[in-house]
Amino acid sequence: MSRGPAARLPGAGVVQVRRWSAGSGWTSAADAVAVEEPLEIRVNTRPVAVVMRTPGHDEELVIGFLLTEAVLRSPKDIAAIRAYPRNRDGNVLDVFLGPKVEVDHARLTRHVFAASSCGLCGKASIEAVKQQFPAVRERFRVEGSVLGRLPAAMREAQAVFASTGGLHAAALFAADGTLQLLREDVGRHNAVDKVLGRLLLDGRLPMPRSILVI
């Protein structure tokens, strides 16, 4: 895969740039760039956060965000996911929770704008960062040769990065090095949330004997 404007992928845009070289001076060309746009997350019609992200797999991102914020535990906690009808840009998603799911909106709502580089923006204390998740008990061994080839395998699967040269990724591998899931985003934590969101929606959490590479 080569970097260039021909690869029109979700999450990538094309812009005109000017390049200068000693041999030919100024030239104009089209170049592919990673896209970053805001996404408003709403829970039961109430806004809780605005995050900067690369468009694509937005439902996974929102569900992963609510999972890591300890709002969701299983797919049964989700009644529906809908695009906010009054937003023409498609940058607002509303998650409706099951009747038994309790939400502390005062704790959940982020009172600041969350940039793509900000995984903990809006948290006022260490206690707010530490969520109530069970400790990891799974223990397994992975061959060093398997670990050594995971970054290259992840890079090979990054289609948008290959086009733009500017994107993070999170990839889930089996213990034998088989790629199971990969998501890209301008924010590394967003990419992780997209992976987690996909796993929760598919009812695949927890994922024992798995390796997350970022």
Side-chain angles (χ1 to χ4, degrees):
M1 294 181 291
S2 61
R3 179 184 176 189
R8 294 180 179 270
L9 302 166
V14 178
V15 297
Q16 289 296 127
V17 299
R18 285 174 58 81
R19 295 192 178 99
W20 186 90
S21 64
S24 57
W26 287 103
T27 58
S28 296
D31 193 21
V33 296
V35 175
E36 182 179 34
E37 293 182 1
L39 175 67
E40 180 179 323
I41 301 172
R42 300 165 64 95
V43 174
N44 294 337
T45 73
R46 293 183 59 174
V48 298
V50 175
V51 299
M52 294 301 294
R53 96 297 188 201
T54 297
H57 305 288
D58 286 343
E59 289 189 1
E60 297 174 354
L61 172 60
V62 171
I63 296 304
F65 171 86
L66 294 176
L67 171 66
T68 55
E69 291 291 331
V71 175
L72 301 175
R73 298 293 187 184
S74 77
K76 296 179 180 179
D77 295 336
I78 306 167
I81 309 171
R82 301 192 190 111
Y84 186 60
R86 297 182 181 179
N87 179 264
R88 296 181 179 180
D89 297 327
N91 283 346
V92 180
L93 279 182
D94 211 329
V95 179
F96 296 90
L97 306 179
K100 296 183 179 180
V101 181
E102 297 182 358
V103 182
D104 182 353
H105 281 277
R107 182 195 64 80
L108 177 62
T109 301
R110 294 189 175 191
H111 298 285
V112 298
F113 181 80
S116 58
S117 61
C118 183
L120 298 174
C121 289
K123 299 302 184 186
S125 66
I126 293 178
E127 287 72 20
V129 175
K130 294 180 178 179
Q131 305 293 352
Q132 299 301 312
F133 292 104
V136 176
R137 304 297 184 188
E138 182 74 17
R139 291 181 178 274
F140 64 98
R141 296 178 64 86
V142 180
E143 295 293 332
S145 59
V146 172
L147 289 177
R149 65 174 183 263
L150 297 186
M154 180 176 70
R155 172 66 181 83
E156 183 66 23
Q158 287 184 251
V160 183
F161 181 87
S163 176
T164 66
L167 221 59
H168 292 293
L172 189 74
F173 291 89
D176 64 357
T178 302
L179 177 63
Q180 298 182 322
L181 182 64
L182 181 139
R183 292 293 183 261
E184 295 181 279
D185 199 279
V186 289
R188 185 182 292 109
H189 60 93
N190 288 341
V192 172
D193 278 352
K194 288 179 179 181
V195 169
L196 295 176
R198 182 71 267 160
L199 294 176
L200 181 69
L201 288 169
D202 292 343
R204 297 167 61 191
L205 288 176
M207 284 290 292
R209 301 182 61 80
S210 300
I211 306 166
L212 181 68
V213 181
I214 58 174

